[in-house]
């Protein structure tokens, strides 16, 4: 037999990067997600890290698109083409 190590256990410290698919699916969560990543983008911009800046802004945009989808289409004014 043998102990058969499974490798080092991952620590539970929060990581600054968000894994794909970790975006919230509720409106309050998406708003918080967007705000956090917008703040991270501004911080990256301030230190001249434009790669991270672009990645964070993309996450913000993704969250806004998801919010838009959750909120549904805004009611368009009905234009009647009557006789």
């Amino acid at each position: 037999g043998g102990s058969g190590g499974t490798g080092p256990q991952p620590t539970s410290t929060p990581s600054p990067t968000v894994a794909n698919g970790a975006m919230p699916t509720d409106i309050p969560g998406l708003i918080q997600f967007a705000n956090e990543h917008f703040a991270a983008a501004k911080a990256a911009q301030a230190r001249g890290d434009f790669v991270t800046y672009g990645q964070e802004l993309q996450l913000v945009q993704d969250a806004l698109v998801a919010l838009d989808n959750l909120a549904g289409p805004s009611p368009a004014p009905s234009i009647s083409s009557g006789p």
Side-chain angles (χ1 to χ4, degrees):
S3 60
T6 58
Q9 293 297 320
T11 57
S12 61
T13 53
S15 170
T17 55
V18 176
N20 287 340
M23 186 181 295
T25 56
D26 60 311
I27 289 175
L30 283 166
I31 291 171
Q32 183 181 357
F33 179 93
N35 283 330
E36 288 174 358
H37 287 284
F38 185 67
K42 288 198 298 187
Q45 182 185 32
R47 65 177 182 265
D49 183 355
F50 293 103
V51 172
T52 299
Y53 173 76
Q55 292 170 340
E56 294 294 338
L57 278 188
Q58 182 62 55
L59 289 170
V60 172
Q61 187 176 355
D62 291 347
L64 293 177
V65 168
L67 273 169
D68 196 45
N69 291 339
L70 275 178
S74 55
S78 59
I79 300 170
S80 61
S81 56

